[in-house]
Amino acid sequence: MEETDREAVATAVQRVAGMLQRPDQLDKVEQYRRREARKKASVEARLKAAIQSQLDGVRTGLSQLHNALNDVKDIQQSLIDVNKDWRQSINAIENLKDVKDAVVQHSQLAAAVENLKNIFSVPEIVRETQDLIERGELLQAHRKLMDLECSRDNLMYEQYRMDSKNTHDMNLIHTYFGDMQKLSEELAKQLWMVVQRSLVTVRRDPTLLVSVVRIIEREEKIDRRMLDRKKQTGFIPPGRPKKWKENMFNILERTVSIRIEGTQADTRESDKMWLVRHLEITRKYVLDDLLVAKTLLDQCFPPHYDIFKRLLSMYHQALSTRMQELAAEDLEANEIVSLLTWVLNTYKSTEMMGNSELSPEVDANSLDLLLSQNVVDQLLSKYMSTLTSNIIGWLRKALETDKKDWVKETEPEADQDGYYQTTLPAIVFQMFEQNLQVAAQISEDLKTKVLLLCLQQMNSFLTRYKDEAQFYKEEHLKNRQYPQCYVQYMIAVINNCQTFKESIISLKRKYLKVEMEETLSSSHASMDAILDIIAKEGCSSLLDEVFMDLEPHLNELMTKKWLLGSNAVRTICVTVEDYFNDFAKIKKPYKKTMTMEAHRRVVVEYIRAIMLKRISFKNAEERKEGAEKMIKEAEQFRFLFKKLASGSGEDTEGLCDIIEAIAEVIKLTDPSLLYLEVSTLVSKYPDIRDDHIAALLTVRGDASRDMKQTIIETLDQGPSQPNPNYVPIFKEITVPTLTVPKLLK
């Protein structure tokens, strides 16, 4: 206590020292004193109140403890009395067994009395219930059926309580109520009929469907009650649980499956489009059914049934099963496409599950695939295999059809620009387009695969096309009168090559991604090369046709008849121009090439005629006359091919210059300058061989053997400076072997 007093005094001293730090604060000592007095009085009052409150609590607690002690003593005495009474009444309880049995019998008799009216009227109630079922008054019929079942179940339960092993009495009750089970089955049939037609019934008579659902709900409640009683007593009436709710969903599931299967109205034998029709009918039926289920059916069922989602799941499962069945069939290529397009695209599109009227309840993107990826891959593999066979067959058939046109006696059709053509490119690429458009409906990946397949088969097809064009030419050479329109159809074949090139480029541009073009560059180059070969061989065969007609006139060149005034060159020019009137129907790239080749071959044949040494000029006059005729004819050729090549940009000068250069050698009057003229000729055209020079000097007719030998030997020693733009022409010209006397003549 003293320690506390000392601490209090010290605290007070500090507090007073803090208040009186300045002289002017001494004037406020009285004010400080009163304030501290008020605080002291306030603290003392609170302290007194707290102490008083604690004292009251302690007093109350002591009072309650005293009362509790008295109560415990009373309870202890009561337990003693109860134990004493219980020991005295054990024997009395054993003597009440007969009373207990009487109570049980009384309970059974009470139940029997309560159900007595129903028991005696069972046959009548059964008839009434049957009539109600037949009249379609299902709710009233079910009410009476419930009363009958309740009577039977109560009697059987009381019998079970009295003697659970007495099966005789149980069977007796069951037999007496036997017609009731038939009523239950008949009512169930009526319910299931309504459930099966629920999507129709909900539109015509939704009240009937609601009644059916109410009956099922009643039975579900009774089932739950009976199962609860079974847990407590072990007894459950016969036929329970009925599980009508489960049966209802099973009926709906079977109905949906039958609905899906029933949409197939045709077979492949009766209609080639059977699958398309089947899938379209299925789409329409499923969409209509789900819309009805969402807008009408959902209102007829309790929310916890979640009927729309259950139906959606049933339709999805039924469709998946049906699609798997269809996938397992031996489908044709177009049928596989129809199936995959429907499964992968149509099903989740706005035309079906993605329909705006089904949202938000149906999220098309969250639906599983109707077919597993493995099955889809198998179908795609089968489709590609079938498509490969089909394309090969289609291409073969298209080529056979085109070949039949080649032997027709009428000219082929011309396109809008007047170029001859056949229908082959259009047929081939229309077929490719159709298959690519179909593949694009399924997926981008399949479209790319089909494009690669088409180009691959196109490559093989072009090889066959080349062989057939060659065979066509060979058959014509056996009899040039047949086919009648050989030239026109060969032109069409050549033009088809250009059309094929353009179509391939168009197809790739339309269906091939830019990043994939690199992988097809080699294939494209291969096809272009084959097409160029076909066109080149076609042009060559046409020129062969021209030069076979020109052969008699070419044989007149550089002969005595020619020198005396033959019109061979004029006839050659007219014939070539006449043929090129038909060749005007050849498309520009190939026409230009063909004109250049015709020009080259005419010059080659002319020079070959010189090198054949059919004539040897006797004097300067003949040489001059022959040389001038050659220059004139070279000019005729130049004029002709300039006319034929108008607009194509072909250089028509160089080839005819060779004829003029040879003419200058022949025309030369001073033999001493012959070496110089010949050396000039050789420098311009370095592929001239010694035999060419010898033949040329022989035609000239005034060169001795020594002169020929000297010129040839001197030229062999001289440097050669060929023109880099010169295309060798003399290497194609063979000089016939001459006997020595003839050569030295």
Side-chain angles (χ1 to χ4, degrees):
M1 181 64 72
E2 292 178 357
E3 182 67 24
T4 303
D5 291 341
R6 283 196 298 272
E7 289 179 359
V9 170
T11 301
V13 170
Q14 289 178 353
R15 188 173 181 82
V16 171
M19 292 179 184
L20 302 175
Q21 291 181 353
R22 298 189 305 273
D24 59 327
Q25 289 179 329
L26 293 174
D27 297 335
K28 298 180 180 179
V29 169
E30 186 61 27
Q31 181 179 348
Y32 292 154
R33 188 184 63 77
R34 287 195 299 271
R35 185 176 66 185
E36 292 301 320
R38 286 196 300 274
K39 287 183 179 180
K40 179 182 178 184
S42 175
V43 169
E44 288 177 350
R46 288 199 302 273
L47 183 61
K48 288 180 181 179
I51 292 173
Q52 185 62 42
S53 175
Q54 287 180 353
L55 290 175
D56 291 343
V58 170
R59 188 182 296 110
T60 302
L62 290 174
S63 175
Q64 290 175 346
L65 286 173
H66 185 267
N67 293 336
L69 179 62
N70 293 333
D71 291 341
V72 168
K73 290 179 180 179
D74 293 341
I75 291 170
Q76 184 179 14
Q77 185 59 43
S78 298
L79 288 173
I80 293 172
D81 296 340
V82 168
N83 185 49
K84 182 179 178 181
D85 293 340
W86 175 73
R87 291 182 181 279
Q88 292 176 355
S89 64
I90 289 177
N91 295 331
I93 292 173
E94 292 178 355
N95 295 332
L96 291 177
K97 185 175 183 301
D98 295 338
V99 176
K100 179 181 177 183
D101 294 340
V103 169
V104 172
Q105 290 180 354
H106 180 270
S107 175
Q108 292 173 343
L109 290 172
V113 169
E114 184 179 348
N115 295 290
L116 194 60
K117 181 179 180 181
N118 289 338
I119 292 173
F120 285 113
S121 60
V122 165
E124 181 182 353
I125 296 174
V126 167
R127 285 193 298 273
E128 291 176 357
T129 306
Q130 184 66 44
D131 291 341
L132 290 171
I133 292 174
E134 291 175 357
R135 292 201 302 269
E137 299 178 15
L138 302 182
L139 276 176
Q140 292 82 350
H142 185 250
R143 172 57 64 188
K144 289 186 175 293
L145 179 63
M146 288 172 60
D147 292 342
L148 288 173
E149 287 181 340
C150 184
S151 298
R152 181 201 65 179
D153 295 348
N154 288 340
L155 287 173
M156 295 184 78
Y157 175 63
E158 294 301 332
Q159 176 60 38
Y160 179 84
R161 286 178 60 195
M162 182 175 69
D163 186 1
S164 60
K165 296 180 181 180
N166 188 349
T167 57
H168 178 269
D169 289 349
M170 283 286 195
N171 291 335
L172 183 64
I173 298 172
H174 188 267
T175 302
Y176 184 75
F177 285 90
D179 290 340
M180 184 190 66
Q181 184 61 32
K182 295 178 182 178
L183 283 178
S184 178
E185 293 172 358
E186 183 64 29
L187 179 61
K189 288 181 182 179
Q190 297 298 318
L191 298 182
W192 306 149
M193 286 177 62
V194 175
V195 170
Q196 286 174 353
R197 305 182 72 253
S198 56
L199 291 172
V200 177
T201 304
V202 75
R203 292 184 243 197
R204 298 179 181 176
D205 186 7
T207 305
L208 177 60
L209 184 59
V210 172
S211 299
V212 169
V213 176
R214 288 180 61 189
I215 292 170
I216 292 172
E217 273 294 280
R218 287 177 183 173
E219 290 294 338
E220 283 295 300
K221 290 179 181 178
I222 296 173
D223 279 350
R224 288 194 293 271
R225 192 167 65 247
M226 292 298 107
L227 289 172
D228 290 342
R229 188 164 70 178
K230 180 184 178 182
K231 291 178 183 178
Q232 297 172 0
T233 64
F235 171 77
I236 189 166
R240 291 288 177 186
K242 291 184 179 181
K243 299 182 179 180
W244 277 9
K245 180 180 178 181
E246 181 180 331
N247 289 343
M248 179 196 72
F249 283 118
N250 290 336
I251 294 292
L252 279 175
E253 191 169 351
R254 286 198 298 272
T255 302
V256 169
S257 297
I258 294 171
R259 173 82 161 161
I260 299 300
E261 292 172 3
T263 56
Q264 182 175 341
D266 302 294
T267 61
R268 185 183 293 117
E269 290 73 20
S270 61
D271 186 356
K272 290 294 183 182
M273 301 296 289
W274 68 276
L275 184 57
V276 174
R277 288 169 55 83
H278 176 34
L279 294 174
E280 176 56 22
I281 293 172
T282 301
R283 182 199 67 78
K284 187 176 183 303
Y285 280 11
V286 171
L287 180 58
D288 290 347
D289 290 353
L290 290 178
L291 288 174
V292 170
K294 179 187 175 184
T295 55
L296 300 176
L297 198 65
D298 205 33
Q299 302 174 13
C300 298
F301 286 80
H304 65 272
Y305 274 53
D306 206 1
I307 189 65
F308 179 71
K309 286 191 176 179
R310 294 288 291 269
L311 268 176
L312 177 63
S313 176
M314 291 176 191
Y315 272 100
H316 181 81
Q317 185 57 45
L319 286 170
S320 179
T321 301
R322 182 56 183 156
M323 295 305 113
Q324 290 175 21
E325 292 172 353
L326 290 172
E329 294 187 14
D330 187 17
L331 298 177
E332 297 177 355
N334 62 314
E335 294 169 348
I336 293 175
V337 168
S338 298
L339 181 63
L340 289 178
T341 302
W342 198 91
V343 168
L344 300 178
N345 298 327
T346 304
Y347 183 61
K348 293 186 178 183
S349 71
T350 55
E351 296 178 356
M352 199 169 176
M353 292 305 188
N355 189 287
S356 58
E357 295 184 39
L358 291 177
S359 61
E361 286 78 2
V362 179
D363 181 7
N365 295 324
S366 66
L367 294 173
D368 295 333
L369 286 175
L370 294 175
L371 292 175
S372 67
Q373 190 60 48
N374 185 42
V375 174
V376 171
D377 291 341
Q378 290 176 3
L379 285 174
L380 288 174
S381 176
K382 182 179 179 182
Y383 170 72
M384 291 301 294
S385 176
T386 306
L387 183 61
T388 302
S389 300
N390 288 347
I391 288 177
I392 292 172
W394 290 331
L395 290 174
R396 183 181 295 111
K397 185 176 180 181
L399 183 54
E400 290 299 322
T401 303
D402 206 54
K403 282 167 54 183
K404 291 177 182 178
D405 291 343
W406 295 354
V407 296
K408 286 182 177 179
E409 296 181 358
T410 56
E411 294 183 357
E413 296 179 357
D415 64 11
Q416 58 187 4
D417 297 320
Y419 299 121
Y420 284 139
Q421 64 176 5
T422 67
T423 57
L424 182 62
I427 291 172
V428 168
F429 282 91
Q430 183 180 7
M431 180 260 292
F432 286 169
E433 281 270 0
Q434 289 173 350
N435 283 285
L436 285 165
Q437 288 171 4
V438 166
Q441 294 175 7
I442 298 177
S443 68
E444 283 293 316
D445 182 56
L446 181 63
K447 182 187 72 174
T448 303
K449 288 182 179 178
V450 171
L451 177 60
L452 295 176
L453 172 63
C454 290
L455 295 177
Q456 178 186 358
Q457 293 305 320
M458 185 68 188
N459 213 331
S460 303
F461 166 76
L462 290 177
T463 302
R464 294 196 300 273
Y465 190 50
K466 177 172 72 70
D467 295 341
E468 292 296 341
Q470 180 64 27
F471 182 75
Y472 182 53
K473 170 188 173 182
E474 293 170 358
E475 288 297 306
H476 172 68
L477 291 177
K478 293 177 183 178
N479 179 4
R480 291 188 62 212
Q481 303 303 316
Y482 179 84
Q484 183 177 336
C485 296
Y486 169 79
V487 171
Q488 290 80 1
Y489 277 100
M490 185 55 76
I491 291 173
V493 169
I494 295 169
N495 288 338
N496 285 349
C497 293
Q498 182 64 21
T499 306
F500 276 129
K501 280 187 174 184
E502 294 168 354
S503 299
I504 290 169
I505 293 172
S506 174
L507 203 67
K508 288 176 62 177
R509 185 181 297 117
K510 186 174 181 180
Y511 292 102
L512 188 65
K513 294 179 180 178
V514 177
E515 57 267 23
M516 291 289 292
E517 288 187 4
E518 185 105 9
T519 61
L520 288 178
S521 57
S522 60
S523 174
H524 192 170
S526 174
M527 286 186 283
D528 279 353
I530 296 173
L531 288 167
D532 285 340
I533 292 172
I534 296 171
K536 182 178 179 181
E537 292 179 351
C539 291
S540 178
S541 69
L542 291 177
L543 288 178
D544 289 344
E545 194 76 8
V546 175
F547 281 88
M548 279 188 282
D549 285 349
L550 293 179
E551 187 173 356
H553 309 292
L554 292 170
N555 290 335
E556 287 186 17
L557 297 175
M558 305 308 293
T559 62
K560 289 290 185 182
K561 182 180 178 181
W562 168 78
L563 186 61
L564 294 174
S566 169
N567 290 322
V569 169
R570 182 174 179 278
T571 305
I572 290 170
C573 290
V574 170
T575 304
V576 170
E577 186 172 8
D578 182 57
Y579 267 101
F580 267 80
N581 286 333
D582 286 337
F583 297 165
K585 302 294 180 70
I586 299 177
K587 291 187 176 180
K588 288 183 179 179
Y590 301 124
K591 182 186 175 186
K592 177 181 177 181
T593 303
M594 194 167 182
T595 305
M596 293 171 64
E597 180 63 15
H599 191 177
R600 188 191 66 79
R601 285 182 67 171
V602 166
V603 172
V604 167
E605 291 301 324
Y606 195 93
I607 297 173
R608 180 178 284 114
I610 298 172
M611 298 303 166
L612 287 173
K613 298 166 286 189
R614 295 170 182 160
I615 188 173
S616 179
F617 298 112
K618 295 179 180 179
N619 51 51
E621 187 64 30
E622 278 192 1
R623 284 191 290 274
K624 179 180 179 183
E625 183 182 350
E628 289 177 350
K629 187 172 180 64
M630 290 171 64
I631 293 170
K632 179 182 177 183
E633 290 175 346
E635 187 59 36
Q636 286 179 270
F637 290 144
R638 183 181 286 113
F639 176 79
L640 170 66
F641 287 104
K642 188 172 184 180
K643 178 180 177 182
L644 295 179
S646 60
S648 66
E650 180 197 349
D651 179 14
T652 60
E653 302 296 326
L655 291 171
C656 293
D657 289 347
I658 301 175
I659 299 175
E660 293 178 344
I662 293 173
E664 291 298 328
V665 173
I666 294 173
K667 185 180 179 182
L668 186 67
T669 57
D670 186 356
S672 63
L673 298 176
L674 192 57
Y675 167 75
L676 183 60
E677 197 67 38
V678 171
S679 63
T680 302
L681 181 67
V682 172
S683 65
K684 284 185 178 180
Y685 312 110
D687 60 322
I688 294 179
R689 300 189 301 272
D690 293 349
D691 54 349
H692 292 141
I693 296 171
L696 179 57
L697 294 175
T698 300
V699 171
R700 180 176 166 81
D702 64 344
S704 65
R705 176 181 177 183
D706 292 339
M707 183 183 293
K708 292 178 184 177
Q709 190 70 25
T710 302
I711 292 173
I712 291 172
E713 289 177 355
T714 307
L715 289 173
D716 287 342
Q717 296 172 5
S720 177
Q721 296 178 347
N723 184 349
N725 297 324
Y726 170 66
V727 178
I729 196 169
F730 284 92
K731 67 179 182 179
E732 301 180 33
I733 301 170
T734 303
V735 178
T737 304
L738 296 177
T739 61
V740 173
K742 181 78 173 177
L743 181 62
L744 299 177
K745 185 178 176 180

